[in-house]
Amino acid sequence: MPEDAQRLIDTSTAHPARRYDYWLGGKDNFAADRESADAIARLAPLVPKWARENRWFMRRAVAYLAREAGIRQFLDIGTGIPTSPNLHEVAQAIAPESRVVYVDNDPIVLTHARALLTSGPHGRTAYLDADLAEPEDILGSDEVTTTLDLSRPVALSLIAVLHFFKDAQDPHGIVRRLVSALPSGSYLAISHNTWDYLPEPRRAALESAVKDEGQCRDRAQFTRFFDGLELVDPGVVVLSEWRRDDSADLPLPEPWEISAYGAVARIP
């Protein structure tokens, strides 16, 4: 790990990306992350299943975008710690010429950038250390402007990241700014946690446990991210149900087991 990254990483405080890595069975996490993850899992024992289903949603969405929508450029913001297959691996397995820019502001993700940047010879990948809260910095970065052609369709991927933004941070406005920079024929893919399917008092206990980290949203609030866009069938659904196929090799969970929405939409 680079020395500057080591200095930036606070191992004493739990981090959502490292907690997610732990739920997925990864090794890039610390004691504080594991303790926090286990505490949440005691309230929601199925949260590791959510983590796996969220990854499967990403893979299905990217496969659809590359195979059926013909997208060859991807902007993935809130990348997190890489878990193979990564987005570019899914896209380039279908279309080797695909170009991908990964964006994250977690220094531990930066230490994995070399792995993320391993692209096939016909495509290209880049990594940008930036924050979703500053969309202009992302859109104007050298990594984006030299890797992607923003005059041609791009798929914007925001997987399990917007629920870390509270309403006061205007996540809907951030998404609108990013979408407005993309041409017609581009796409937006989002997964987002919700309390809609959780019964009380489990909902209240979980909401209290993560209240300082962001905000879950109901169906209407989630759907607002796609205002003015053309939702791809089946529209807004529990993420485990979005174009599910046999690739997950897992039984379809009940909505309350996942309690997260997923959707993909075309930018007209």
Side-chain angles (χ1 to χ4, degrees):
M1 182 182 300
E3 189 173 319
D4 57 343
Q6 283 183 320
R7 287 195 297 268
L8 288 169
I9 296 171
D10 179 4
T11 63
S12 65
T13 303
H15 190 284
R18 300 195 300 260
R19 190 168 57 208
Y20 185 51
D21 174 73
Y22 174 65
W23 284 329
L24 287 171
K27 299 179 180 178
D28 295 299
N29 48 76
F30 302 98
D33 307 307
R34 295 188 287 273
E35 291 170 7
S36 173
D38 288 340
I40 292 174
R42 283 192 290 273
L43 296 172
L46 296 172
V47 69
K49 180 181 286 189
W50 162 81
R52 293 192 297 271
E53 289 289 346
N54 187 65
R55 291 295 298 182
W56 280 110
F57 167 76
M58 181 277 290
R59 296 175 195 177
R60 292 195 304 274
V62 172
Y64 163 81
L65 292 166
R67 183 178 292 116
E68 299 185 43
I71 296 296
R72 298 295 179 263
Q73 302 188 109
F74 297 82
L75 177 58
D76 181 57
I77 305 178
T79 297
I81 297 169
T83 302
S84 187
N86 296 309
L87 188 151
H88 76 278
E89 293 173 313
V90 177
Q92 291 181 354
I94 296 167
E97 69 273 25
S98 295
R99 294 181 166 221
V100 179
V101 175
Y102 291 107
V103 182
D104 206 292
N105 67 340
D106 180 4
I108 201 168
V109 178
L110 182 61
T111 69
H112 292 276
R114 185 172 300 173
L116 285 173
L117 297 177
T118 302
S119 172
H122 303 293
R124 185 174 176 184
T125 60
Y127 175 81
L128 172 62
D129 182 11
D131 195 322
L132 175 58
E134 304 293 340
E136 300 298 340
D137 290 349
I138 295 172
L139 294 169
S141 67
D142 289 342
E143 288 82 357
V144 168
T145 58
T146 62
T147 306
L148 306 179
D149 179 356
L150 296 185
S151 70
R152 300 177 64 82
V154 175
L156 171 61
S157 172
L158 299 169
I159 303 300
V161 62
L162 289 167
H163 48 237
F164 294 112
F165 285 72
K166 295 188 176 183
D167 284 345
Q169 297 170 279
D170 192 20
H172 291 93
I174 291 170
V175 172
R176 285 195 300 273
R177 176 63 191 99
L178 290 166
V179 166
S180 70
L182 303 180
S184 175
S186 295
Y187 283 80
L188 172 64
I190 305 178
S191 69
H192 193 298
N193 288 352
T194 183
W195 301 129
D196 283 358
Y197 297 96
L198 294 182
E200 297 286 358
R202 180 174 293 177
R203 168 178 175 162
L206 275 169
E207 197 164 8
S208 177
V210 300
K211 64 181 179 180
D212 295 329
E213 294 189 5
Q215 181 177 336
C216 289
R217 292 181 169 86
D218 62 23
R219 182 187 179 89
Q221 293 169 323
F222 174 76
T223 304
R224 275 186 57 207
F225 287 115
F226 300 94
D227 281 355
L229 309 185
E230 301 166 353
L231 284 165
V232 173
D233 286 339
V236 173
V237 293
V238 176
L239 63 83
S240 52
E241 298 176 1
W242 195 88
R243 292 184 172 241
R244 193 176 185 85
D245 52 29
D246 295 333
S247 64
D249 193 29
L250 295 167
L252 179 64
E254 295 295 327
W256 63 267
E257 294 181 286
I258 304 305
S259 201
Y261 288 119
V264 176
R266 182 181 182 275
I267 299 172

